[in-house]
Amino acid sequence: MLQQSSCCCDSFGFRPCSVASKTKSAFSCYMDLKDKNKLLPFASSLSLKWPQLNRNPVLACRASRGSHVTRVGKDDLPIHGVAEVLVGVLGGGQLGRMLCQAASQMAIKVMVLDPQENCPASKLAYHHMVGSFDDSATVQEFAKRCGVLTVEIEHVDVETLEKLELQGVDCQPKASTIRIIQDKYLQKVHFSQHDIPLPEFMQIDDLEGAKRAGDLFGYPLMIKSKRLAYDGRGNAVAKSEDELSSAVTALGGFDRGLYVEKWAPFVKELAVIVARGRDNSILCYPAVETIHKENICHIVKAPANMSWKIRELATDIASRAVSSLEGAGVFAVELFLTKDDQILLNEVAPRPHNSGHHTIESCYTSQYEQHLRAVVGLPLGDPSMKTPAAIMYNLLGEDEGEPGFHLAHQLIARALCIPGATVHWYDKPEMRKQRKMGHITIVGPSVGNVEKLLDSMLNEESSESQSAVAPRVGIVMGSDSDLPVMKDAAKVLNMFGVPNEVRIVSAHRTPELMYSYALSARERGIQVIIAGAGGAAHLPGMVAALTPLPVIGVPVRASTLDGVDSLLSIVQMPRGVPVATVAVNNATNAGLLAVRMLSVCDADLLSRMSQYQEDTRNEVLTKAEKLQKDGWESYLNP
């Protein structure tokens, strides 16, 4: 067989591909991250050039069975695209389906291996091979047709992957990573060796060992299966020593392979999606909060409502955990946040994950696009959020068969009435209770806003409540005596179509109301606060001390000192408590300043502000022209 070579796009940061030996298959070109002496000539700044033989894999009818392939004349068709290589995915469930959707937008072709002819990915994949992803012969046959092999489920035949890697097949992430992840006890051992914080754990081989673990860790005690445990399967809780035996039996006995973890008294479950490139570069998505229903991820809130310090700690732990593994791709790191602000790693998935579904609508690069970028060798995309907040709701089967479909479709119909909602239906042929049938993502200006929209969808509220627009600017004052001045800010905001709210929250008479308003404003979607300031101007300063949002103070003219005391109070706020201000009684300018602040990230508002300036300019020019033409006497006495 002729020796093959391939090259990567160095300008995009691609790592070099190795030269396959003469004994390797024509389909065995693979990427070598370590051998820098095997750099090949630069081929293209836009695509990965794979060997001609590898560009023409055997393609069968849309769904072929195992090694019994029916050729349909596509053998000589080139694989055009940014990566001229077929991406093979072991598994064709909903994750595979969404990988195919992302691939179709990127000019990347994906083929899947799944035992079900009508698996979710089957209708979207470039090719679907029907067969088991844990059958060695089938996986080997499948691998011959792919340029790079990846997974959407970790419960695959890892021994076969290791053999394929020795033959030169490009597996991402590496088989060594899959082996570690498949065994949750081995996961814990691996991460403990890399100083990743974990709940305490130990292996148990018999009832006496379980009792010793109970004595050591206390109760409740979490007992887990080492393998094939996900969505709550393979986990059991013993609340006392008397419950140990029944918990072990529920998990299939000690022959199943069990270990125990010390109970983690967490206050929140978090997750961080981490992308790792072929060059070992790491990018992390914002941490999210996950809420489970019967041990299945039910709701994901993005970003997680926690301090910046905790967010950074979670991101650091997730990044270090993934850095300890081998291979490229997207990894989901599940974490516990304890009541004393510790972050403990729960487990890692070497693939796209339920906790990252929201990224399709909420981030510049979805986790599915990111996984394809990583395994193919393209530059990693921007993982940051392009919307302030998102919430993902898993559509879990509520009933068996047709009644379950009916309930799901009713919910989808309500979701279609929700502003900012997107429905994803996995097209699974059978409905079962608690089965993941789809998901709904809602994006909006704040977590509080999207939570309200989700509640209205689930509670079947009227379309009027569902379409209510959350205010972006809060106008507050200490007394209704300030309203004649502060109404001008509301008029300006209404003119620009900026949703706003007007509230009385006295810093002196109702300090608890002012306190709760300032603390909750951001969560409710408020982006700017305009505060009327009378007398000593306590309200703007106290609000600014309680919220990270920008605060604009409006000095209100009082019966004494003509509002100058308010103005001076605002401009002398202590360091670290910034409050912008405008002229005395000039709430109009406060409204205009709020619009300009919002327009930094709002192209429509920016355009409207430009038009406003143009209109005011033209108004002045018209008056000047009239004055010049008619003279001042006629101008003043029309």
Side-chain angles (χ1 to χ4, degrees):
M1 183 177 294
L2 294 176
Q3 188 178 28
Q4 303 167 39
S5 65
S6 65
C7 61
C8 309
C9 179
D10 185 58
S11 65
F12 276 169
F14 299 162
R15 302 296 289 179
C17 301
S18 68
V19 179
S21 70
K22 295 181 180 180
T23 60
K24 292 175 182 174
S25 161
F27 305 99
S28 63
C29 176
Y30 67 103
M31 307 281 278
D32 187 342
L33 304 181
K34 301 178 180 179
D35 194 342
K36 297 182 179 179
N37 297 322
K38 295 179 181 179
L39 281 170
L40 297 173
F42 176 80
S44 166
S45 62
L46 296 177
S47 63
L48 291 173
K49 298 296 183 181
W50 294 77
Q52 184 63 35
L53 286 173
N54 202 25
R55 290 173 58 190
N56 301 312
V58 175
L59 294 177
C61 55
R62 190 160 202 88
S64 62
R65 288 190 173 276
S67 60
H68 303 291
V69 177
T70 303
R71 297 174 184 262
V72 292
K74 292 186 179 180
D75 293 22
D76 297 324
L77 294 179
I79 306 302
H80 295 299
V82 67
E84 298 183 354
V85 58
L86 275 177
V87 177
V89 179
L90 299 181
Q94 62 263 22
L95 301 180
R97 179 185 179 90
M98 286 180 274
L99 279 171
C100 291
Q101 288 173 328
S104 69
Q105 298 173 317
M106 301 170 65
I108 291 177
K109 291 181 171 58
V110 171
M111 58 188 299
V112 299
L113 173 64
D114 194 274
Q116 294 185 353
E117 289 190 27
N118 53 357
C119 66
S122 61
K123 295 177 183 178
L124 302 179
Y126 183 67
H127 173 62
H128 170 209
M129 179 173 166
V130 180
S132 175
F133 42 71
D134 59 5
D135 177 77
S136 181
T138 304
V139 172
Q140 290 185 66
E141 177 64 25
F142 179 76
K144 291 178 182 178
R145 311 176 192 183
C146 311
V148 60
L149 195 63
T150 188
V151 301
E152 65 110 53
I153 183 170
E154 55 267 33
H155 305 298
V156 297
D157 182 4
V158 71
E159 287 80 8
T160 298
L161 294 185
E162 290 169 339
K163 292 177 182 177
L164 289 171
E165 284 185 341
L166 292 176
Q167 296 169 15
V169 173
D170 185 11
C171 297
Q172 300 295 338
K174 297 300 182 184
S176 61
T177 292
I178 304 298
R179 180 174 288 282
I180 290 170
I181 298 301
Q182 280 185 345
D183 187 316
K184 291 191 174 183
Y185 177 75
L186 188 57
Q187 257 198 74
K188 293 292 189 295
V189 171
H190 171 85
F191 290 128
S192 68
Q193 292 172 344
H194 288 82
D195 298 322
I196 305 297
L198 303 161
E200 295 181 66
F201 67 98
M202 64 181 289
Q203 179 173 308
I204 55 172
D205 300 314
D206 51 35
L207 191 57
E208 289 304 314
K211 291 179 179 179
R212 286 195 299 271
D215 293 338
L216 180 63
F217 297 149
Y219 294 91
L221 187 66
M222 177 63 76
I223 307 176
K224 292 187 175 183
S225 300
K226 293 182 179 180
R227 303 176 67 83
L228 298 175
Y230 61 96
D231 285 346
R233 302 181 183 92
N235 296 344
V237 177
K239 297 179 181 178
S240 66
E241 183 176 307
D242 294 338
E243 295 185 8
L244 286 174
S245 181
S246 58
V248 168
T249 300
L251 294 176
F254 291 102
D255 292 340
R256 173 84 181 269
L258 305 177
Y259 74 102
V260 297
E261 287 182 9
K262 184 177 181 179
W263 185 262
F266 61 86
V267 293
K268 286 184 180 180
E269 292 185 82
L270 308 175
V272 177
I273 300 294
V274 181
R276 177 174 176 164
R278 285 179 174 266
D279 59 354
N280 297 323
S281 59
I282 294 285
L283 288 179
C284 295
Y285 286 79
V288 301
E289 179 182 356
T290 59
I291 299 171
H292 292 73
K293 178 181 180 181
E294 297 183 22
N295 294 311
I296 299 175
C297 183
H298 188 45
I299 292 174
V300 174
K301 298 179 183 181
N305 183 19
M306 56 189 182
S307 70
W308 181 88
K309 182 179 179 181
I310 297 299
R311 188 175 302 172
E312 287 296 294
L313 178 59
T315 301
D316 175 67
I317 290 172
S319 176
R320 288 194 289 118
V322 172
S323 295
S324 72
L325 301 169
E326 291 187 299
V330 158
F331 299 77
V333 183
E334 298 182 21
L335 306 159
F336 294 133
L337 171 63
T338 66
K339 59 184 178 182
D340 56 352
D341 287 344
Q342 290 188 58
I343 297 288
L344 302 176
L345 186 144
N346 180 23
E347 58 186 60
V348 175
R351 52 170 172 76
H353 191 260
N354 211 140
S355 60
H357 286 344
H358 70 93
T359 61
I360 300 174
E361 282 75 37
S362 69
C363 295
Y364 289 103
T365 308
S366 78
Q367 66 166 343
Y368 301 100
E369 177 184 335
Q370 196 78 285
H371 188 74
L372 291 167
R373 282 172 175 255
V375 301
V376 167
L378 294 169
L380 297 181
D382 182 358
S384 60
M385 293 184 69
K386 60 184 178 182
T387 183
I391 194 164
M392 189 282 300
Y393 177 83
N394 248 341
L395 278 167
L396 304 177
E398 296 183 44
D399 204 344
E400 304 286 334
E402 287 303 314
F405 278 115
H406 180 68
L407 291 171
H409 294 158
Q410 281 185 323
L411 187 58
I412 289 174
R414 295 200 297 273
L416 295 176
C417 300
I418 300 291
T422 304
V423 176
H424 295 263
W425 184 248
Y426 303 153
D427 203 22
K428 294 181 178 180
E430 295 180 8
M431 171 69 74
R432 297 193 298 270
K433 283 188 176 182
Q434 295 302 101
R435 190 183 194 192
K436 297 173 183 174
M437 302 301 295
H439 73 268
I440 298 168
T441 299
I442 304 174
V443 299
S446 69
V447 173
N449 174 259
V450 294
E451 285 178 333
K452 286 183 179 179
L453 291 173
L454 177 63
D455 287 343
S456 68
M457 180 186 76
L458 298 178
N459 296 325
E460 304 181 54
E461 294 180 8
S462 67
S463 58
E464 291 183 3
S465 64
Q466 292 173 1
S467 59
V469 179
R472 300 178 68 184
V473 178
I475 302 172
V476 296
M477 64 204 79
S479 169
D480 62 350
S481 62
D482 297 337
L483 186 57
V485 172
M486 300 304 294
K487 72 178 188 327
D488 292 337
K491 286 182 177 179
V492 169
L493 294 169
N494 290 339
M495 180 178 69
F496 280 91
V498 176
N500 59 86
E501 63 182 18
V502 181
R503 298 285 185 271
I504 296 174
V505 287
S506 173
H508 298 101
R509 299 175 184 86
T510 57
E512 71 287 344
L513 181 60
M514 181 272 300
Y515 183 84
S516 63
Y517 182 90
L519 289 182
S520 67
R522 180 187 179 191
E523 185 178 338
R524 292 187 299 107
I526 299 293
Q527 295 169 285
V528 181
I529 295 176
I530 300 174
H538 289 298
L539 183 59
M542 295 181 71
V543 169
L546 292 167
T547 178
L549 300 175
V551 177
I552 304 170
V554 179
V556 177
R557 182 177 287 116
S559 57
T560 58
L561 300 180
D562 213 27
V564 175
D565 53 340
S566 258
L567 176 62
L568 293 177
S569 293
I570 294 174
V571 298
Q572 294 186 83
M573 289 295 165
R575 293 179 187 272
V577 187
V579 179
T581 191
V582 292
V584 175
N585 271 17
N586 197 343
T588 296
N589 270 6
L592 290 170
L593 182 55
V595 171
R596 291 191 178 200
M597 288 177 172
L598 296 174
S599 69
V600 171
C601 299
D602 189 323
D604 180 66
L605 270 186
L606 186 61
S607 178
R608 296 177 74 167
M609 177 55 72
S610 297
Q611 185 61 54
Y612 171 82
Q613 291 178 294
E614 182 68 20
D615 291 344
T616 55
R617 176 180 179 275
N618 290 337
E619 183 180 346
V620 172
L621 292 175
T622 300
K623 291 179 180 179
E625 183 180 356
K626 179 176 175 58
L627 176 62
Q628 184 178 1
K629 178 181 178 182
D630 299 341
W632 65 269
E633 291 179 332
S634 296
Y635 187 91
L636 292 176
N637 301 289

